[in-house]
Structures are given as C-alpha cells and as structure tokens.
Amino acid sequence: MAGVSTPDEHKSNAPRSIGCWVLTISDSKTPETDTSGKLIRDLLTGAGHRVAGSEIVRDEPTEVQRVIREACENAAVQAVIMTGGTGITSRDSTFEAVEAMLDKRLPGFGELFRMLSYQEVGGAAMLSRAQMGIARGRIVVSLPGSPNACRLALEKLLLPELGHLVRELSR
C-alpha cells in the first residue's frame, strides 16, 4: 500500500552512528576485568557507533540512576547500554533502579532477548530481567552481566535496530 512505512524504509532513513554510554554494574569488576563492558564497546565501535563514555558502578540504585541521569544530559549520548545487575540475587537492584526512571517501556526487547537466550541456555533464560525503555529522551537498555548474553543482545537485537530506535524516538 502507498504511504505505509515499513521497518526497512525506517532503517534507510535512520542514523548510521549512534552515541552510546556503556555502564557496567558490578560489585567486583574493575576496568581490567570488565569483559562484558569491553565487549559491548568493541561491538558498538565495530558497527560504526560512538562510545561517548563508560563507567563501572556498584549495584546501588542511587549510583546507577546517577550515571543514567548524567549520560542522558550529555548531548553526545542517544543510548545508554548497561550490563549487570539484572538477575534475582539480593544484590541485583538494577532492574528496579532503571524501571523507576523509564518514561516508556519496550517490553518486546526483554521478551525477544529471553526467547533467544532460551535457545542457548534453556530455562535459565527466565532468570534474566533484561529490559529496554526510554528515559529522558534516550534509549536505555539493561543487559545481563554475562559476555555471552551481551553478545547475543547486541548482535541479534541492538545493533540491527539501534539506528531505527533512535530515528523513531526523534520523531
């Protein structure tokens, strides 16, 4: 039908390079041992996106929210991608910290991530609280701390759609 947009048409008009902030949430990781954060940065830059900054914070809601707020105030940042803190242990509080900041939720991301993850890890995929939403006009994504989970999310979901997400958000 004439006048109907398709995802391919949207993507053809989407920005090719997105400014991203990478946040690792961990009580134990250091810049030297942050394999998931490094993987995310490498995959983003390898796909032509910009890493405007990165940081490691403990799994403390106030710290996570502080970094998200600061990243969202940075004009060079269009997406905040986090790794860690999405599980169900007593220390995993990232889901709640991020959820409280979201203006819009995109539940399809978590649903698709868990579906894809199920193919790799079976029923353990249900323990993930990966999520995506919009906060302060930015894409905000929470991924598990596992490098394999981060690779799966970036290669199958985020990298193919990041420009499209930012395009739609800017309309």
Side-chain angles (χ1 to χ4, degrees):
M1 277 191 287
V4 176
S5 294
T6 66
D8 288 338
E9 289 170 349
H10 287 186
K11 287 180 190 180
S12 70
N13 295 313
R16 301 281 180 237
S17 182
I18 304 303
C20 301
W21 189 276
V22 178
L23 173 59
T24 299
I25 296 108
S26 173
D27 292 339
S28 61
K29 297 288 184 199
T30 66
E32 296 75 32
T33 62
D34 179 19
T35 53
S36 293
K38 180 182 183 324
L39 174 68
I40 292 169
R41 292 188 302 273
D42 289 349
L43 289 172
L44 287 168
T45 57
H49 300 295
R50 302 174 311 279
V51 175
S54 65
E55 192 168 343
I56 300 172
V57 298
R58 291 178 52 83
D59 197 341
E60 296 292 341
T62 55
E63 284 297 295
V64 172
Q65 290 176 339
R66 174 191 60 81
V67 174
I68 293 170
R69 274 192 305 276
E70 290 173 4
C72 290
E73 290 169 4
N74 183 336
V77 175
Q78 295 151 308
V80 179
I81 302 173
M82 293 166 277
T83 176
T86 62
I88 61 170
T89 73
S90 61
R91 288 288 302 147
D92 290 324
S93 60
T94 298
F95 180 90
E96 289 78 12
V98 173
E99 176 79 8
M101 297 185 74
L102 296 179
D103 302 313
K104 291 185 179 182
R105 286 143 190 82
L106 298 168
F109 173 81
E111 294 162 0
L112 285 169
F113 173 78
R114 284 180 284 280
M115 179 196 74
L116 292 168
S117 184
Y118 177 79
Q119 296 168 3
E120 293 188 3
V121 300
M126 76 174 102
L127 278 69
S128 168
R129 297 188 300 158
Q131 67 179 331
M132 178 189 287
I134 310 301
R136 301 177 179 221
R138 304 298 194 270
I139 305 294
V140 177
V141 184
S142 294
L143 303 176
S146 152
N148 287 341
C150 290
R151 179 178 300 282
L152 174 71
L154 266 84
E155 290 179 348
K156 298 287 186 180
L157 300 172
L158 291 176
L159 293 177
E161 295 297 331
L162 198 51
H164 186 196
L165 283 159
V166 169
R167 176 195 184 269
E168 291 302 300
L169 184 57
S170 69
R171 293 177 30 155

